[in-house]
PDB file of all heavy atoms in Angstrom:
ATOM      1  N   GLN A   1     -23.003 -13.674  17.485  1.00  0.00           N
ATOM      2  CA  GLN A   1     -21.521 -13.602  17.350  1.00  0.00           C
ATOM      3  C   GLN A   1     -21.125 -12.313  18.065  1.00  0.00           C
ATOM      4  O   GLN A   1     -19.982 -12.360  18.700  1.00  0.00           O
ATOM      5  CB  GLN A   1     -21.163 -13.570  15.869  1.00  0.00           C
ATOM      6  CG  GLN A   1     -21.424 -14.731  15.111  1.00  0.00           C
ATOM      7  CD  GLN A   1     -20.743 -16.031  15.654  1.00  0.00           C
ATOM      8  OE1 GLN A   1     -19.627 -15.998  15.903  1.00  0.00           O
ATOM      9  NE2 GLN A   1     -21.597 -17.129  15.958  1.00  0.00           N
ATOM     10  N   ALA A   2     -21.807 -11.120  18.034  1.00  0.00           N
ATOM     11  CA  ALA A   2     -21.350  -9.976  18.624  1.00  0.00           C
ATOM     12  C   ALA A   2     -21.377 -10.116  20.200  1.00  0.00           C
ATOM     13  O   ALA A   2     -20.304  -9.736  20.807  1.00  0.00           O
ATOM     14  CB  ALA A   2     -22.146  -8.905  18.122  1.00  0.00           C
ATOM     15  N   GLU A   3     -22.304 -10.663  20.759  1.00  0.00           N
ATOM     16  CA  GLU A   3     -22.650 -10.738  22.152  1.00  0.00           C
ATOM     17  C   GLU A   3     -21.726 -11.792  22.777  1.00  0.00           C
ATOM     18  O   GLU A   3     -21.184 -11.579  23.867  1.00  0.00           O
ATOM     19  CB  GLU A   3     -24.075 -10.960  22.526  1.00  0.00           C
ATOM     20  CG  GLU A   3     -24.814  -9.827  22.229  1.00  0.00           C
ATOM     21  CD  GLU A   3     -26.340  -9.988  22.595  1.00  0.00           C
ATOM     22  OE1 GLU A   3     -26.683 -11.063  22.926  1.00  0.00           O
ATOM     23  OE2 GLU A   3     -27.132  -9.004  22.585  1.00  0.00           O
ATOM     24  N   LEU A   4     -21.537 -12.938  22.146  1.00  0.00           N
ATOM     25  CA  LEU A   4     -20.907 -14.126  22.809  1.00  0.00           C
ATOM     26  C   LEU A   4     -19.423 -14.146  22.392  1.00  0.00           C
ATOM     27  O   LEU A   4     -18.536 -14.542  23.196  1.00  0.00           O
ATOM     28  CB  LEU A   4     -21.565 -15.443  22.357  1.00  0.00           C
ATOM     29  CG  LEU A   4     -22.978 -15.528  23.015  1.00  0.00           C
ATOM     30  CD1 LEU A   4     -23.567 -16.828  22.519  1.00  0.00           C
ATOM     31  CD2 LEU A   4     -23.125 -15.372  24.483  1.00  0.00           C
ATOM     32  N   GLY A   5     -19.163 -13.777  21.145  1.00  0.00           N
ATOM     33  CA  GLY A   5     -17.809 -13.902  20.638  1.00  0.00           C
ATOM     34  C   GLY A   5     -17.051 -12.664  20.491  1.00  0.00           C
ATOM     35  O   GLY A   5     -15.893 -12.701  20.087  1.00  0.00           O
ATOM     36  N   HIS A   6     -17.679 -11.585  20.753  1.00  0.00           N
ATOM     37  CA  HIS A   6     -17.054 -10.105  20.739  1.00  0.00           C
ATOM     38  C   HIS A   6     -16.636  -9.858  19.316  1.00  0.00           C
ATOM     39  O   HIS A   6     -15.651  -9.117  19.091  1.00  0.00           O
ATOM     40  CB  HIS A   6     -15.938 -10.013  21.744  1.00  0.00           C
ATOM     41  CG  HIS A   6     -16.368 -10.287  23.101  1.00  0.00           C
ATOM     42  ND1 HIS A   6     -16.992  -9.363  23.862  1.00  0.00           N
ATOM     43  CD2 HIS A   6     -16.063 -11.302  23.934  1.00  0.00           C
ATOM     44  CE1 HIS A   6     -17.250  -9.858  24.994  1.00  0.00           C
ATOM     45  NE2 HIS A   6     -16.740 -11.116  25.071  1.00  0.00           N
ATOM     46  N   TRP A   7     -17.360 -10.506  18.351  1.00  0.00           N
ATOM     47  CA  TRP A   7     -17.057 -10.079  16.942  1.00  0.00           C
ATOM     48  C   TRP A   7     -17.803  -8.863  16.519  1.00  0.00           C
ATOM     49  O   TRP A   7     -18.930  -8.582  16.973  1.00  0.00           O
ATOM     50  CB  TRP A   7     -17.505 -11.251  16.038  1.00  0.00           C
ATOM     51  CG  TRP A   7     -16.600 -12.450  16.167  1.00  0.00           C
ATOM     52  CD1 TRP A   7     -16.985 -13.569  16.943  1.00  0.00           C
ATOM     53  CD2 TRP A   7     -15.332 -12.792  15.611  1.00  0.00           C
ATOM     54  NE1 TRP A   7     -15.937 -14.501  16.822  1.00  0.00           N
ATOM     55  CE2 TRP A   7     -14.965 -14.022  16.022  1.00  0.00           C
ATOM     56  CE3 TRP A   7     -14.543 -12.121  14.586  1.00  0.00           C
ATOM     57  CZ2 TRP A   7     -13.749 -14.598  15.525  1.00  0.00           C
ATOM     58  CZ3 TRP A   7     -13.350 -12.703  14.294  1.00  0.00           C
ATOM     59  CH2 TRP A   7     -12.985 -13.833  14.709  1.00  0.00           C
ATOM     60  N   GLU A   8     -17.276  -8.110  15.610  1.00  0.00           N
ATOM     61  CA  GLU A   8     -17.981  -6.923  15.002  1.00  0.00           C
ATOM     62  C   GLU A   8     -18.013  -7.182  13.518  1.00  0.00           C
ATOM     63  O   GLU A   8     -17.125  -7.741  12.789  1.00  0.00           O
ATOM     64  CB  GLU A   8     -17.362  -5.665  15.375  1.00  0.00           C
ATOM     65  CG  GLU A   8     -15.991  -5.417  14.890  1.00  0.00           C
ATOM     66  CD  GLU A   8     -15.320  -4.142  15.317  1.00  0.00           C
ATOM     67  OE1 GLU A   8     -15.436  -3.752  16.613  1.00  0.00           O
ATOM     68  OE2 GLU A   8     -14.777  -3.429  14.485  1.00  0.00           O
ATOM     69  N   LEU A   9     -19.037  -6.599  12.882  1.00  0.00           N
ATOM     70  CA  LEU A   9     -19.305  -6.782  11.496  1.00  0.00           C
ATOM     71  C   LEU A   9     -18.331  -5.840  10.703  1.00  0.00           C
ATOM     72  O   LEU A   9     -18.285  -4.646  10.929  1.00  0.00           O
ATOM     73  CB  LEU A   9     -20.689  -6.296  11.032  1.00  0.00           C
ATOM     74  CG  LEU A   9     -21.090  -6.482   9.584  1.00  0.00           C
ATOM     75  CD1 LEU A   9     -20.961  -7.961   9.213  1.00  0.00           C
ATOM     76  CD2 LEU A   9     -22.478  -5.952   9.415  1.00  0.00           C
ATOM     77  N   ARG A  10     -17.453  -6.401   9.765  1.00  0.00           N
ATOM     78  CA  ARG A  10     -16.636  -5.590   8.985  1.00  0.00           C
ATOM     79  C   ARG A  10     -17.220  -5.326   7.583  1.00  0.00           C
ATOM     80  O   ARG A  10     -17.309  -4.238   7.140  1.00  0.00           O
ATOM     81  CB  ARG A  10     -15.327  -6.363   8.784  1.00  0.00           C
ATOM     82  CG  ARG A  10     -14.372  -5.668   7.931  1.00  0.00           C
ATOM     83  CD  ARG A  10     -12.964  -6.374   7.996  1.00  0.00           C
ATOM     84  NE  ARG A  10     -11.946  -5.473   7.133  1.00  0.00           N
ATOM     85  CZ  ARG A  10     -11.575  -5.914   6.097  1.00  0.00           C
ATOM     86  NH1 ARG A  10     -11.872  -7.121   5.543  1.00  0.00           N
ATOM     87  NH2 ARG A  10     -10.704  -5.133   5.347  1.00  0.00           N
ATOM     88  N   ARG A  11     -17.833  -6.356   7.004  1.00  0.00           N
ATOM     89  CA  ARG A  11     -18.407  -6.279   5.701  1.00  0.00           C
ATOM     90  C   ARG A  11     -19.476  -7.360   5.490  1.00  0.00           C
ATOM     91  O   ARG A  11     -19.244  -8.521   5.958  1.00  0.00           O
ATOM     92  CB  ARG A  11     -17.320  -6.335   4.638  1.00  0.00           C
ATOM     93  CG  ARG A  11     -17.894  -6.254   3.274  1.00  0.00           C
ATOM     94  CD  ARG A  11     -16.838  -6.177   2.215  1.00  0.00           C
ATOM     95  NE  ARG A  11     -16.022  -4.951   2.499  1.00  0.00           N
ATOM     96  CZ  ARG A  11     -14.739  -4.806   2.248  1.00  0.00           C
ATOM     97  NH1 ARG A  11     -13.989  -5.821   1.953  1.00  0.00           N
ATOM     98  NH2 ARG A  11     -14.145  -3.701   2.482  1.00  0.00           N
ATOM     99  N   LEU A  12     -20.604  -7.038   4.911  1.00  0.00           N
ATOM    100  CA  LEU A  12     -21.571  -7.956   4.498  1.00  0.00           C
ATOM    101  C   LEU A  12     -21.856  -7.787   3.027  1.00  0.00           C
ATOM    102  O   LEU A  12     -22.187  -6.724   2.621  1.00  0.00           O
ATOM    103  CB  LEU A  12     -22.863  -7.725   5.414  1.00  0.00           C
ATOM    104  CG  LEU A  12     -23.961  -8.801   5.127  1.00  0.00           C
ATOM    105  CD1 LEU A  12     -24.539  -9.181   6.358  1.00  0.00           C
ATOM    106  CD2 LEU A  12     -24.933  -8.350   4.157  1.00  0.00           C
ATOM    107  N   ARG A  13     -21.822  -8.888   2.332  1.00  0.00           N
ATOM    108  CA  ARG A  13     -22.077  -8.803   0.888  1.00  0.00           C
ATOM    109  C   ARG A  13     -23.318  -9.652   0.572  1.00  0.00           C
ATOM    110  O   ARG A  13     -23.267 -10.874   0.951  1.00  0.00           O
ATOM    111  CB  ARG A  13     -20.824  -9.109   0.039  1.00  0.00           C
ATOM    112  CG  ARG A  13     -21.166  -9.056  -1.360  1.00  0.00           C
ATOM    113  CD  ARG A  13     -19.807  -9.010  -2.131  1.00  0.00           C
ATOM    114  NE  ARG A  13     -20.095  -8.814  -3.531  1.00  0.00           N
ATOM    115  CZ  ARG A  13     -19.182  -8.586  -4.495  1.00  0.00           C
ATOM    116  NH1 ARG A  13     -17.864  -8.749  -4.063  1.00  0.00           N
ATOM    117  NH2 ARG A  13     -19.594  -8.374  -5.736  1.00  0.00           N
ATOM    118  N   LEU A  14     -24.307  -9.077  -0.031  1.00  0.00           N
ATOM    119  CA  LEU A  14     -25.559  -9.828  -0.419  1.00  0.00           C
ATOM    120  C   LEU A  14     -25.412 -10.099  -1.880  1.00  0.00           C
ATOM    121  O   LEU A  14     -25.386  -9.117  -2.681  1.00  0.00           O
ATOM    122  CB  LEU A  14     -26.801  -9.107  -0.067  1.00  0.00           C
ATOM    123  CG  LEU A  14     -28.089  -9.769  -0.321  1.00  0.00           C
ATOM    124  CD1 LEU A  14     -28.261 -11.132   0.277  1.00  0.00           C
ATOM    125  CD2 LEU A  14     -29.190  -8.894  -0.049  1.00  0.00           C
ATOM    126  N   TYR A  15     -25.484 -11.334  -2.346  1.00  0.00           N
ATOM    127  CA  TYR A  15     -25.354 -11.619  -3.760  1.00  0.00           C
ATOM    128  C   TYR A  15     -26.740 -11.732  -4.393  1.00  0.00           C
ATOM    129  O   TYR A  15     -27.681 -11.814  -3.713  1.00  0.00           O
ATOM    130  CB  TYR A  15     -24.638 -13.004  -4.004  1.00  0.00           C
ATOM    131  CG  TYR A  15     -23.088 -12.817  -3.624  1.00  0.00           C
ATOM    132  CD1 TYR A  15     -22.653 -13.303  -2.441  1.00  0.00           C
ATOM    133  CD2 TYR A  15     -22.244 -12.390  -4.562  1.00  0.00           C
ATOM    134  CE1 TYR A  15     -21.431 -13.370  -2.064  1.00  0.00           C
ATOM    135  CE2 TYR A  15     -20.874 -12.312  -4.190  1.00  0.00           C
ATOM    136  CZ  TYR A  15     -20.450 -12.746  -3.004  1.00  0.00           C
ATOM    137  OH  TYR A  15     -19.153 -12.717  -2.598  1.00  0.00           O
ATOM    138  N   ALA A  16     -26.812 -11.635  -5.631  1.00  0.00           N
ATOM    139  CA  ALA A  16     -28.127 -11.585  -6.369  1.00  0.00           C
ATOM    140  C   ALA A  16     -28.971 -12.848  -6.194  1.00  0.00           C
ATOM    141  O   ALA A  16     -30.149 -12.821  -6.162  1.00  0.00           O
ATOM    142  CB  ALA A  16     -27.869 -11.326  -7.933  1.00  0.00           C
ATOM    143  N   ASP A  17     -28.284 -13.984  -5.889  1.00  0.00           N
ATOM    144  CA  ASP A  17     -28.890 -15.261  -5.743  1.00  0.00           C
ATOM    145  C   ASP A  17     -29.365 -15.427  -4.269  1.00  0.00           C
ATOM    146  O   ASP A  17     -29.988 -16.428  -3.959  1.00  0.00           O
ATOM    147  CB  ASP A  17     -28.141 -16.411  -6.262  1.00  0.00           C
ATOM    148  CG  ASP A  17     -26.876 -16.667  -5.440  1.00  0.00           C
ATOM    149  OD1 ASP A  17     -26.605 -15.850  -4.604  1.00  0.00           O
ATOM    150  OD2 ASP A  17     -26.228 -17.661  -5.679  1.00  0.00           O
ATOM    151  N   GLY A  18     -29.139 -14.511  -3.384  1.00  0.00           N
ATOM    152  CA  GLY A  18     -29.505 -14.589  -2.103  1.00  0.00           C
ATOM    153  C   GLY A  18     -28.522 -15.078  -1.065  1.00  0.00           C
ATOM    154  O   GLY A  18     -28.675 -15.009   0.168  1.00  0.00           O
ATOM    155  N   ARG A  19     -27.316 -15.473  -1.538  1.00  0.00           N
ATOM    156  CA  ARG A  19     -26.198 -15.852  -0.516  1.00  0.00           C
ATOM    157  C   ARG A  19     -25.628 -14.613   0.119  1.00  0.00           C
ATOM    158  O   ARG A  19     -25.707 -13.559  -0.458  1.00  0.00           O
ATOM    159  CB  ARG A  19     -25.071 -16.498  -1.336  1.00  0.00           C
ATOM    160  CG  ARG A  19     -25.352 -17.751  -1.931  1.00  0.00           C
ATOM    161  CD  ARG A  19     -24.136 -18.403  -2.712  1.00  0.00           C
ATOM    162  NE  ARG A  19     -23.869 -17.365  -3.919  1.00  0.00           N
ATOM    163  CZ  ARG A  19     -22.727 -16.994  -4.153  1.00  0.00           C
ATOM    164  NH1 ARG A  19     -21.643 -17.364  -3.443  1.00  0.00           N
ATOM    165  NH2 ARG A  19     -22.413 -16.260  -5.244  1.00  0.00           N
ATOM    166  N   ARG A  20     -25.107 -14.770   1.294  1.00  0.00           N
ATOM    167  CA  ARG A  20     -24.517 -13.613   2.019  1.00  0.00           C
ATOM    168  C   ARG A  20     -23.147 -14.067   2.397  1.00  0.00           C
ATOM    169  O   ARG A  20     -22.944 -15.205   2.871  1.00  0.00           O
ATOM    170  CB  ARG A  20     -25.278 -13.393   3.321  1.00  0.00           C
ATOM    171  CG  ARG A  20     -26.598 -12.775   3.097  1.00  0.00           C
ATOM    172  CD  ARG A  20     -27.359 -12.577   4.418  1.00  0.00           C
ATOM    173  NE  ARG A  20     -28.515 -11.697   4.397  1.00  0.00           N
ATOM    174  CZ  ARG A  20     -29.638 -12.251   4.058  1.00  0.00           C
ATOM    175  NH1 ARG A  20     -29.902 -13.559   4.002  1.00  0.00           N
ATOM    176  NH2 ARG A  20     -30.809 -11.400   3.929  1.00  0.00           N
ATOM    177  N   LYS A  21     -22.142 -13.280   2.196  1.00  0.00           N
ATOM    178  CA  LYS A  21     -20.806 -13.341   2.628  1.00  0.00           C
ATOM    179  C   LYS A  21     -20.586 -12.332   3.718  1.00  0.00           C
ATOM    180  O   LYS A  21     -20.702 -11.198   3.461  1.00  0.00           O
ATOM    181  CB  LYS A  21     -19.782 -13.187   1.492  1.00  0.00           C
ATOM    182  CG  LYS A  21     -18.398 -13.311   1.898  1.00  0.00           C
ATOM    183  CD  LYS A  21     -17.437 -13.033   0.685  1.00  0.00           C
ATOM    184  CE  LYS A  21     -15.992 -13.127   1.203  1.00  0.00           C
ATOM    185  NZ  LYS A  21     -15.086 -12.819   0.021  1.00  0.00           N
ATOM    186  N   ILE A  22     -20.158 -12.805   4.991  1.00  0.00           N
ATOM    187  CA  ILE A  22     -20.113 -11.938   6.029  1.00  0.00           C
ATOM    188  C   ILE A  22     -18.572 -12.031   6.462  1.00  0.00           C
ATOM    189  O   ILE A  22     -18.113 -13.025   6.758  1.00  0.00           O
ATOM    190  CB  ILE A  22     -20.956 -12.408   7.225  1.00  0.00           C
ATOM    191  CG1 ILE A  22     -22.450 -12.438   6.765  1.00  0.00           C
ATOM    192  CG2 ILE A  22     -20.781 -11.512   8.444  1.00  0.00           C
ATOM    193  CD1 ILE A  22     -23.359 -13.021   7.589  1.00  0.00           C
ATOM    194  N   GLU A  23     -18.020 -10.811   6.684  1.00  0.00           N
ATOM    195  CA  GLU A  23     -16.695 -10.628   7.160  1.00  0.00           C
ATOM    196  C   GLU A  23     -16.796 -10.129   8.618  1.00  0.00           C
ATOM    197  O   GLU A  23     -17.345  -9.034   8.756  1.00  0.00           O
ATOM    198  CB  GLU A  23     -15.792  -9.841   6.391  1.00  0.00           C
ATOM    199  CG  GLU A  23     -15.505 -10.495   4.934  1.00  0.00           C
ATOM    200  CD  GLU A  23     -14.736  -9.657   4.102  1.00  0.00           C
ATOM    201  OE1 GLU A  23     -13.953  -8.808   4.582  1.00  0.00           O
ATOM    202  OE2 GLU A  23     -14.762  -9.920   2.889  1.00  0.00           O
ATOM    203  N   LEU A  24     -16.259 -10.811   9.634  1.00  0.00           N
ATOM    204  CA  LEU A  24     -16.247 -10.390  10.980  1.00  0.00           C
ATOM    205  C   LEU A  24     -14.830 -10.127  11.410  1.00  0.00           C
ATOM    206  O   LEU A  24     -13.863 -10.633  10.851  1.00  0.00           O
ATOM    207  CB  LEU A  24     -16.872 -11.407  11.882  1.00  0.00           C
ATOM    208  CG  LEU A  24     -18.276 -11.828  11.525  1.00  0.00           C
ATOM    209  CD1 LEU A  24     -18.638 -13.125  12.416  1.00  0.00           C
ATOM    210  CD2 LEU A  24     -19.231 -10.745  11.778  1.00  0.00           C
ATOM    211  N   ARG A  25     -14.728  -9.309  12.466  1.00  0.00           N
ATOM    212  CA  ARG A  25     -13.392  -8.990  12.984  1.00  0.00           C
ATOM    213  C   ARG A  25     -13.463  -8.811  14.485  1.00  0.00           C
ATOM    214  O   ARG A  25     -14.563  -8.405  15.009  1.00  0.00           O
ATOM    215  CB  ARG A  25     -12.693  -7.968  12.384  1.00  0.00           C
ATOM    216  CG  ARG A  25     -13.231  -6.481  12.691  1.00  0.00           C
ATOM    217  CD  ARG A  25     -12.579  -5.358  12.010  1.00  0.00           C
ATOM    218  NE  ARG A  25     -13.005  -4.108  12.451  1.00  0.00           N
ATOM    219  CZ  ARG A  25     -12.568  -2.972  12.065  1.00  0.00           C
ATOM    220  NH1 ARG A  25     -11.629  -2.911  11.280  1.00  0.00           N
ATOM    221  NH2 ARG A  25     -13.117  -1.805  12.525  1.00  0.00           N
ATOM    222  N   ARG A  26     -12.372  -8.920  15.238  1.00  0.00           N
ATOM    223  CA  ARG A  26     -12.351  -8.595  16.677  1.00  0.00           C
ATOM    224  C   ARG A  26     -10.848  -8.330  16.916  1.00  0.00           C
ATOM    225  O   ARG A  26      -9.948  -8.859  16.298  1.00  0.00           O
ATOM    226  CB  ARG A  26     -12.862  -9.699  17.555  1.00  0.00           C
ATOM    227  CG  ARG A  26     -12.103 -11.012  17.556  1.00  0.00           C
ATOM    228  CD  ARG A  26     -12.772 -12.018  18.535  1.00  0.00           C
ATOM    229  NE  ARG A  26     -12.263 -13.341  18.368  1.00  0.00           N
ATOM    230  CZ  ARG A  26     -12.747 -14.372  19.007  1.00  0.00           C
ATOM    231  NH1 ARG A  26     -13.832 -14.239  19.791  1.00  0.00           N
ATOM    232  NH2 ARG A  26     -12.144 -15.507  18.738  1.00  0.00           N
ATOM    233  N   ARG A  27     -10.606  -7.435  17.979  1.00  0.00           N
ATOM    234  CA  ARG A  27      -9.294  -7.106  18.333  1.00  0.00           C
ATOM    235  C   ARG A  27      -8.617  -8.234  18.938  1.00  0.00           C
ATOM    236  O   ARG A  27      -9.179  -8.949  19.904  1.00  0.00           O
ATOM    237  CB  ARG A  27      -9.396  -5.922  19.262  1.00  0.00           C
ATOM    238  CG  ARG A  27      -9.549  -4.574  18.426  1.00  0.00           C
ATOM    239  CD  ARG A  27      -9.473  -3.337  19.278  1.00  0.00           C
ATOM    240  NE  ARG A  27      -8.285  -3.389  20.209  1.00  0.00           N
ATOM    241  CZ  ARG A  27      -8.118  -2.527  21.127  1.00  0.00           C
ATOM    242  NH1 ARG A  27      -9.004  -1.571  21.405  1.00  0.00           N
ATOM    243  NH2 ARG A  27      -7.020  -2.525  21.811  1.00  0.00           N
ATOM    244  N   VAL A  28      -7.339  -8.362  18.833  1.00  0.00           N
ATOM    245  CA  VAL A  28      -6.459  -9.351  19.549  1.00  0.00           C
ATOM    246  C   VAL A  28      -5.923  -8.665  20.821  1.00  0.00           C
ATOM    247  O   VAL A  28      -5.332  -7.573  20.683  1.00  0.00           O
ATOM    248  CB  VAL A  28      -5.396  -9.922  18.657  1.00  0.00           C
ATOM    249  CG1 VAL A  28      -4.434 -10.753  19.348  1.00  0.00           C
ATOM    250  CG2 VAL A  28      -5.882 -10.568  17.416  1.00  0.00           C
ATOM    251  N   ILE A  29      -6.269  -9.204  21.932  1.00  0.00           N
ATOM    252  CA  ILE A  29      -5.782  -8.718  23.128  1.00  0.00           C
ATOM    253  C   ILE A  29      -4.663  -9.519  23.674  1.00  0.00           C
ATOM    254  O   ILE A  29      -4.797 -10.691  23.977  1.00  0.00           O
ATOM    255  CB  ILE A  29      -6.951  -8.664  24.147  1.00  0.00           C
ATOM    256  CG1 ILE A  29      -8.075  -7.717  23.624  1.00  0.00           C
ATOM    257  CG2 ILE A  29      -6.362  -8.106  25.515  1.00  0.00           C
ATOM    258  CD1 ILE A  29      -9.255  -7.705  24.560  1.00  0.00           C
ATOM    259  N   LYS A  30      -3.500  -8.899  23.750  1.00  0.00           N
ATOM    260  CA  LYS A  30      -2.325  -9.696  24.160  1.00  0.00           C
ATOM    261  C   LYS A  30      -2.108  -9.437  25.665  1.00  0.00           C
ATOM    262  O   LYS A  30      -2.142  -8.296  26.032  1.00  0.00           O
ATOM    263  CB  LYS A  30      -1.002  -9.227  23.458  1.00  0.00           C
ATOM    264  CG  LYS A  30      -1.032  -9.600  21.879  1.00  0.00           C
ATOM    265  CD  LYS A  30       0.202  -9.234  21.207  1.00  0.00           C
ATOM    266  CE  LYS A  30       0.041  -9.753  19.722  1.00  0.00           C
ATOM    267  NZ  LYS A  30       1.258  -9.363  19.038  1.00  0.00           N
ATOM    268  N   ALA A  31      -1.860 -10.464  26.429  1.00  0.00           N
ATOM    269  CA  ALA A  31      -1.597 -10.411  27.779  1.00  0.00           C
ATOM    270  C   ALA A  31      -0.272  -9.959  27.997  1.00  0.00           C
ATOM    271  O   ALA A  31       0.734 -10.296  27.423  1.00  0.00           O
ATOM    272  CB  ALA A  31      -1.816 -11.698  28.473  1.00  0.00           C
TER     273      ALA A  31
END
């Protein structure tokens, strides 16, 4: 995601049962 989509990790939450919730963000570039 970082290399191809230019996303960066904002937050990663690991739950006790093993699930992961990942929040990604990227800057909006206006032409």
Side-chain angles (χ1 to χ4, degrees):
Q1 294 302 308
E3 290 180 352
L4 299 178
H6 302 286
W7 291 97
E8 63 183 45
L9 181 64
R10 180 170 181 249
R11 178 174 294 143
L12 187 141
R13 183 164 187 175
L14 178 61
Y15 292 97
D17 65 355
R19 293 179 295 135
R20 288 178 173 88
K21 178 181 177 184
I22 301 169
E23 294 180 21
L24 303 170
R25 71 178 186 177
R26 66 179 170 187
R27 282 183 52 190
V28 174
I29 301 173
K30 294 185 178 180

